[in-house]
């Protein structure tokens, strides 16, 4: 058993670590340090205060996580709306591809990943971002194709056109979704780990 | 005899009696109207406490007014009716029947909405409401609690009101709804009914009325009713019998709601008699459910509802739910686990011996809802595909080309352009590619037009190159000509009804089935279908060239625009051409449209320009084609590059001094004759068509003049700002008058132009009829 002075110093250290972890969003680490501080006999006032702060942060994070997919989806939809101003040829193909399949999905995935938090499992962040941004790309593609083909009056099999639209929409959605998932899982918390 | 407005109809009879209808509803029959109006007007006056001031709401026919004026002691009557047409009839056609009631100095007529009229504080000893039966939402405002509250506020404490109601026999729920509504307004309501023969003949049944007052009214008062007037048709001493209703009839009042502005109940109850309130307990069996679907429009019938519902029910019944579930479970590996578990539960449920009807009904509703949602989504993605109206592509409703077949410029005339003239090849609007010719048959045999329609191949045989056609002396065939045979040229593109662009870029204008013009290299030649060599050179009229160039330019614009649309589509989906034949066909279509644009551009170069000093010809008679006229003396004059050529079908000569007359080549005579015969038919058709147009214009004019008279009437009655219906808009009376006057002026202008056109066509046709038989003989 440690001497009282050493135990007091260890408890202080754990409290500081808990505060640091809380500040960087590592709530699990913060709770662990706080428990250790409690075992070491730290100041109960600080421990209670930090405990409440950690609980509040968890509640806020839960709400943020719940809204992360929607935030990513809406941000991506907004960006695609801006992209719809001109057709692909209007942007030039390389620029359009870079924006539609790289930049915007990265942005959307990054938003989802950041809102999910560093402590979320990367695969979970990947899935969340992929679903949200894939839907956004799907709607962007399908709506644009519907509008464009609506202007063409040639009599064709509408079922075949429907299949083309669906296929292209799904493929584009998958590409954008994977890029967004990568951004959410790898880039959003690049260099930071859940447990430090 | 009909009134000026189509919704007011006075049905005259040989015996001098008549009936008055508003929107097909009988208002009164002169044979028994006194029965109605005596029963409406006299009881409240007899029951009121010394009535002096009266209000009549509605009743613009003046018949209730007549009864009120007969009653002793009446000092003043206000009549308010918003329908100026009915009031006009009341003052004119019905004046004899209402005994000049509107001329009585005690009467003040207000042409306005009764609702607004009673918004201001007024006091009357009796209020009579003689409104038309409501037929559409909004009409029942004057049958609501809010309206009867206004009437109550306008009644003196001893005053009595009378309201015409609906039939307690034909629409009992609506009748008792009205009574409940009157009572909800704080009035005592005494219902009674009267059997009016003309109403019965119309199928309305016995007609209902209400007496209403602030004080309690009892049926005994009706029994003791003493009217100081003699009645002509009504027996008021027996009126109390009409106030007797069975307990079952009275019980209906408890089952209906009041009619309010926020919750209008009267119209649904009138349209669905026998249904009671529509929130009663639902029966289980589907047939009963159909009966509960309310009719919400007076022109809908129960049969229409049932037919529609049966079609839907048939579709649902055709589904074999068991097979569907089994098929889905066979694909269980591809389905989410939870769905598989639900499907297994459904399968087990269906296998049970005694399926619960209510549960089946729930499943049926869910399935029905899913089908409706699926079909709605499918229609949103592929409009009209789900409802099989014939779709022409994703996101497109059914369309029609919509151009009336006109005749481009008439025989290659220089004076009109096929694209700018309505009724020409393009009709009234810009063409769109809707056919599939550019997806398959373009340049694979056959012609196409800008709409994407394929035509069978058409070949012309002539010598190519402009130099040969520029030779001035070849008219008699005594000129040098190429030693080779005429070349076969295929028509590539149909630019107009009678204009084709050839594969070489030449332009051919067909004048008849045996003669055509060839335009190339700044020259024009008349050719016969039978010969490969030209019959004549024709003067290169600059207007003709301009028309051709404008037409081709317009079609190039269309081709470019359509190609761009397809390129926009291919920007997204072009990479799937290896997977989807439809995308490959889209790619081919875009390429072909771009190819057409290039070829039409080449054609503009090939046809060239006329000489800079070329001038249009002045008309010399009936124009057969550009620069060719049939003169009144039966001689055809053809303008050539450096002279005029004349022929009567037997000989030809030029306008040079001492020009020799030579025998007219039979091909030339035959060609000219065929052109004239075709022109005859076309002129006759134009005359028929224009004459029909004149009839239509006359009909439109009559309708517009009627409308103008009505708008002027509103203008003078209500002022310039009064809002009237103008087509589907609502505008001020002043605007309506101005617009109608402008429409009438346009109508007259079109009429005059068409008439002028008919005269010209008739004159030309007469000339042709006279001269054609002798041409060449």
């Amino acid at each position: 058993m440690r001497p009282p002075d050493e135990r007091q110093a260890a408890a202080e250290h754990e409290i500081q670590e808990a505060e640091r972890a809380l500040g960087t969003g590592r709530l699990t680490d913060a709770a662990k340090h706080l428990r250790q501080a409690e075992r070491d006999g730290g100041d109960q006032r600080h421990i209670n205060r930090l405990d409440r702060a950690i609980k509040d942060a968890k509640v806020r994070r839960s709400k943020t996580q719940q809204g992360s997919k929607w935030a990513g989806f809406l941000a991506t939809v907004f960006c695609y709306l801006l992209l719809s101003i001109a057709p692909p040829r209007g942007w030039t193909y390389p620029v359009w591809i870079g924006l539609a399949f790289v930049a915007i999905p990265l942005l959307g995935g990054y938003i989802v990943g950041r809102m999910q938090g560093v402590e979320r499992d990367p695969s979970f962040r990947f899935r969340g971002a992929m679903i949200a941004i894939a839907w956004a790309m799907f709607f962007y593609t399908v709506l644009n194709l519907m509008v464009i083909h609506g202007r063409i009056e040639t009599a064709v099999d509408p079922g075949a056109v429907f299949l083309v639209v669906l296929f292209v929409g799904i493929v584009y959605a998958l590409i954008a979704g994977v890029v967004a998932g990568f951004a959410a899982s790898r880039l959003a918390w690049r260099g930071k780990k859940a447990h430090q | 005899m009909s009134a000026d407005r189509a919704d007011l109809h006075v049905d005259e009879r040989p015996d001098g009696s008549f009936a008055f209808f508003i929107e097909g509803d009988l208002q009164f029959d002169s044979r028994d109207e006194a029965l109605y109006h005596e029963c409406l007007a006299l009881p409240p006056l007899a029951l009121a406490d010394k009535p002096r001031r009266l209000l009549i709401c509605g009743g613009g026919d003046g018949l209730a007014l007549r009864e009120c004026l007969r009653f002793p002691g009446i000092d003043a009557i206000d009549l308010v009716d918003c329908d100026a047409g009915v009031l006009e009839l009341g003052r004119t056609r019905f004046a004899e029947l209402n005994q000049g009631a509107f001329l009585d100095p005690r009467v003040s007529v207000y042409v306005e909405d009764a609702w607004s009229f009673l918004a201001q504080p007024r006091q009357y000893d009796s209020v009579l409401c003689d409104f038309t039966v409501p037929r559409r939402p909004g009409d029942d405002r004057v049958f609501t609690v809010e309206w009867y509250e206004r009437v109550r506020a306008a009644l003196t404490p001893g005053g009595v009101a009378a309201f015409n109601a609906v039939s307690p026999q034909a629409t009992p729920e609506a009748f008792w709804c009205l009574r409940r509504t009157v009572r909800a307004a704080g009035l005592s309501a005494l219902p009674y009914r009267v059997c009016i023969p003309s109403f019965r003949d119309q199928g309305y049944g016995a007609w209902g009325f209400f007496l209403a007052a602030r004080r309690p009214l009892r049926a005994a008062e009706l029994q003791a009713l003493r009217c100081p007037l003699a009645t002509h048709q009504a027996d008021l001493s027996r009126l109390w019998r009409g106030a007797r209703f069975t307990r079952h009839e009275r019980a209906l009042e408890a089952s209906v709601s009041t009619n309010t502005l926020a919750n209008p109940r009267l119209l649904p109850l009138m349209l669905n008699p026998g249904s009671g309130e529509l929130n009663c307990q639902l029966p289980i069996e589907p047939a009963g459910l159909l009966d509960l679907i309310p009719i919400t429009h007076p022109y809908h019938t129960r049969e229409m509802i049932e037919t529609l519902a049966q079609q839907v029910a048939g579709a649902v019944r055709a589904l074999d739910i068991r097979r569907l579930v089994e098929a889905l479970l066979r694909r269980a590996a591809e389905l989410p686990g939870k769905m598989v578990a639900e499907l297994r539960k459904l399968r087990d449920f269906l296998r049970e011996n005694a399926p619960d009807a209510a549960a089946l009904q729930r499943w049926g509703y869910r399935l029905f809802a899913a089908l409706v949602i699926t079909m709605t989504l499918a229609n949103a993605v592929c409009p009209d595909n789900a409802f099989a109206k014939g779709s022409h592509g994703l996101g497109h409703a059914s369309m029609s080309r919509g151009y009336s077949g006109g005749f481009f410029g008439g025989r290659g005339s220089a004076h009109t352009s096929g694209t700018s003239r309505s009724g020409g090849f393009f009709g009234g609007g810009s063409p769109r590619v809707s056919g599939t010719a550019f997806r398959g048959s373009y340049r694979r045999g056959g012609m196409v037009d800008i709409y994407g329609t394929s035509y069978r191949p058409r070949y012309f045989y002539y010598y190519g190159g402009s130099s040969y056609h520029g030779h001035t002396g070849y008219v008699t065939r005594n000129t040098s000509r190429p030693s080779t045979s005429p070349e076969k040229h295929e028509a590539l593109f149909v630019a107009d009804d009678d204009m084709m662009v050839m594969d070489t870029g030449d332009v051919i204008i067909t004048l008849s089935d045996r003669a055509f013009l060839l335009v190339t290299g700044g020259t024009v030649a008349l050719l016969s279908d039978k010969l490969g060599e030209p019959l004549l050179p024709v003067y290169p009229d600059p207007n003709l060239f301009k028309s051709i160039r404008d037409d081709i330019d317009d079609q190039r614009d269309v081709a470019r625009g359509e190609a761009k649309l397809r390129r926009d589509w291919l920007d997204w989906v072009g990479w799937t051409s290896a997977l989807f034949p439809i995308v490959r066909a889209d790619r081919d279509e875009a390429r072909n449209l771009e190819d057409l644009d290039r070829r039409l551009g080449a054609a503009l170069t090939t046809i060239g320009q006329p000489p800079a000093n070329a001038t249009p010809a002045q008309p010399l008679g009936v124009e057969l084609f550009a620069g060719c006229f049939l003169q009144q003396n039966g001689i055809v004059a053809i303008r050539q590059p450096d002279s005029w050529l004349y022929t009567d079908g037997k000989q030809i000569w030029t306008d040079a001094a001492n020009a020799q007359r030579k025998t007219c080549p039979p091909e030339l005579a035959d060609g000219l004759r065929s052109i004239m015969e075709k022109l005859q038919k076309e002129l006759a058709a134009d005359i028929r068509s224009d004459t029909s147009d004149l009839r239509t214009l006359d009909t439109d004019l009559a309708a517009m003049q009627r409308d103008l008279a009505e708008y002027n009437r509103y203008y003078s009655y209500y002022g310039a700002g009064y809002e009237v219906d103008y087509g589907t808009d609502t505008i001020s009376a002043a605007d309506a008058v101005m617009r109608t006057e402008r429409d009438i002026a346009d109508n007259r202008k079109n009429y005059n132009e068409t008439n002028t056109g008919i005269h010209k066509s008739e004159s030309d046709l007469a000339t042709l009829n006279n001269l054609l038989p002798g041409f060449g003989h």
Side-chain angles (χ1 to χ4, degrees), chain A residues 87-90 93 96 137 140-142 144-146 148-165 167-168 171-172, chain B residues 380-382 385 391-396 399 432-436 439 562 564-569 571-573 575-576 579-580 582-583 586 589:
Chain A
R89 255 180 300 143
Y93 290 116
W96 181 77
M137 171 55 105
Y140 167 62
T141 304
V142 168
N144 267 285
L145 288 176
M146 279 170 62
I148 290 169
H149 203 278
R151 295 182 193 137
I152 298 171
E153 298 200 3
T154 308
V156 292
D157 176 14
V161 175
F162 178 76
L163 280 176
V164 171
V165 170
F167 178 77
V168 170
V171 168
Y172 285 4
Chain B
V381 176
C382 301
N385 188 40
S391 168
H392 292 273
L394 194 65
H396 226 296
M399 52 79 82
R432 300 297 311 275
V433 175
S434 57
T436 56
R439 300 173 79 80
E562 293 288 325
K564 182 185 174 306
L565 289 178
R566 281 142 186 84
R567 285 292 171 202
D568 287 343
W569 163 256
D571 282 348
W572 287 81
V573 306
W575 59 274
T576 65
L579 299 170
F580 296 103
I582 192 175
V583 178
D586 290 333
E589 191 179 30

Side-chain angles (χ1 to χ4, degrees), chain B residues 288-309:
Chain B
L289 280 175
L290 293 181
D291 292 337
L292 291 177
I293 297 173
I295 296 173
T296 55
H297 193 283
Y299 300 124
H300 291 174
T301 63
R302 179 61 54 195
E303 288 74 26
M304 288 163 68
I305 300 289
E306 286 174 0
T307 303
L308 176 65

Side-chain angles (χ1 to χ4, degrees), chain B residues 155 632 654 748 769:
Chain B
L155 266 182
Q632 290 296 328
T654 65
R748 289 297 86 193
N769 290 341

Side-chain angles (χ1 to χ4, degrees), chain B residues 456-474:
Chain B
R456 61 174 195 281
R458 185 89 186 261
Y459 302 99
F460 293 86
Y461 296 84
Y462 58 89
Y463 293 98
S466 62
S467 58
Y468 180 60
H469 303 99
H471 201 293
T472 58
Y474 62 70

Side-chain angles (χ1 to χ4, degrees), chain B residues 462-519:
Chain B
Y462 58 89
Y463 293 98
S466 62
S467 58
Y468 180 60
H469 303 99
H471 201 293
T472 58
Y474 62 70
V475 58
T476 60
R477 285 192 281 172
N478 291 332
T479 55
S480 60
R481 62 176 190 265
S483 57
T484 57
S485 303
E487 298 142 9
K488 178 181 176 184
H489 297 277
E490 184 179 0
L492 170 76
F493 179 69
V494 178
D496 209 317
D497 286 340
D498 60 351
M499 185 167 87
M500 283 164 269
V501 177
M502 309 306 286
D503 50 358
T504 52
D506 300 327
V507 167
I508 283 191
I509 298 171
T510 54
L511 304 174
S512 69
D513 55 354
R514 300 198 285 278
F516 58 93
L517 290 178
L518 171 67
V519 182

Side-chain angles (χ1 to χ4, degrees), chain B residues 16-70:
Chain B
S17 65
F18 60 91
F20 174 51
F21 295 84
I22 296 179
E23 289 184 353
D25 288 335
L26 175 67
Q27 303 304 302
F28 67 85
D29 188 313
S30 62
R31 293 176 297 190
D32 61 4
E33 57 81 18
L35 177 57
Y36 176 99
H37 292 101
E38 287 167 352
C39 290
L40 172 69
L42 298 180
L45 297 179
L47 291 174
D49 187 18
K50 295 191 182 61
R52 295 198 187 285
R53 281 183 56 79
L54 311 181
L55 171 65
I56 301 176
C57 299
D61 47 39
L63 298 171
L65 179 64
R66 174 197 66 202
E67 297 306 318
C68 293
L69 286 170
R70 290 199 304 135

Side-chain angles (χ1 to χ4, degrees), chain B residues 425-446:
Chain B
F425 192 69
F426 288 164
S430 184
R432 300 297 311 275
V433 175
S434 57
T436 56
F438 291 105
R439 300 173 79 80
S441 55
Y442 178 73
R443 302 205 66 217
R444 287 183 193 171

Side-chain angles (χ1 to χ4, degrees), chain B residues 275-288:
Chain B
S275 62
E277 276 296 325
L278 299 180
N279 57 356
C280 61
Q281 195 173 8
L282 295 175
I284 297 294
E285 66 277 6

